[in-house]
């Protein structure tokens, strides 16, 4: 029986909340970390960022973002979900963001 795979999309900002560019090294580091964890990675070119809009009742945020996509074929959903939860918290700190959007 084929092993089930799950796709995860990591939506990463290209700027801090104060408008400064996020250092390329930090984005490169995320690519290396995700490649190491999942064994492969797809990214949308940084030269063509996407625009993300999100908010709450009082504030609307607009970001330029890139999306990194990783496929998990480990078959260990519980372990991967724990990695995603922990990694998301670390990314919020690294990029000084209130939220980092990850789908899976």
């Amino acid at each position: 029986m084929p092993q089930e795979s799950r796709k995860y999309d990591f939506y990463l900002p290209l700027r801090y909340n104060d408008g400064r560019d996020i250092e390329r090294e930090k984005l490169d580091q995320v690519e290396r970390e995700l490649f190491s964890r999942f064994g492969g990675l797809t990214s949308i070119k940084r030269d063509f960022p996407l625009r993300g809009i999100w908010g709450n009742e009082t504030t609307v945020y607009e970001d330029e973002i890139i999306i990194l996509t990783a496929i998990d074929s480990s078959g260990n959903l519980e372990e991967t979900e724990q990695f995603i939860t922990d990694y998301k918290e670390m990314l919020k700190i690294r990029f000084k963001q209130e939220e980092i959007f990850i789908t899976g």
Side-chain angles (χ1 to χ4, degrees):
M1 178 165 44
Q3 193 167 347
E4 190 173 322
S5 296
R6 181 172 239 177
K7 177 178 114 169
Y8 293 92
D9 290 323
F10 299 79
Y11 292 71
L12 301 179
L14 295 178
R15 291 190 177 80
Y16 293 108
N17 290 333
D18 65 6
R20 291 179 301 122
D21 288 345
I22 290 178
E23 298 84 354
R24 183 175 186 91
E25 297 79 26
K26 287 186 178 182
L27 295 164
D28 290 344
Q29 181 180 6
V30 172
E31 288 181 348
R32 287 190 306 273
E33 290 167 349
L34 292 176
F35 175 79
S36 176
R37 171 63 175 83
F38 294 104
L41 186 67
T42 300
S43 66
I44 294 176
K45 289 179 67 170
R46 292 182 195 162
D47 298 342
F48 301 100
L50 300 173
R51 181 172 165 228
I53 302 172
W54 66 282
N56 55 39
E57 296 81 26
T58 59
T59 307
V60 174
Y61 301 92
E62 293 186 41
D63 293 314
E64 285 190 344
I65 60 170
I66 60 169
I67 301 172
L68 303 180
T69 300
I71 306 294
D72 178 45
S73 301
S74 70
N76 190 337
L77 181 60
E78 187 176 309
E79 180 182 295
T80 300
E81 290 295 321
Q82 186 61 55
F83 168 82
I84 296 294
T85 298
D86 296 343
Y87 197 67
K88 177 178 181 170
E89 292 307 310
M90 187 274 308
L91 289 173
K92 286 166 50 175
I93 293 167
R94 183 181 294 172
F95 295 119
K96 301 175 184 167
Q97 300 292 306
E98 291 181 33
E99 189 59 70
I100 295 286
F101 189 56
I102 300 173
T103 63

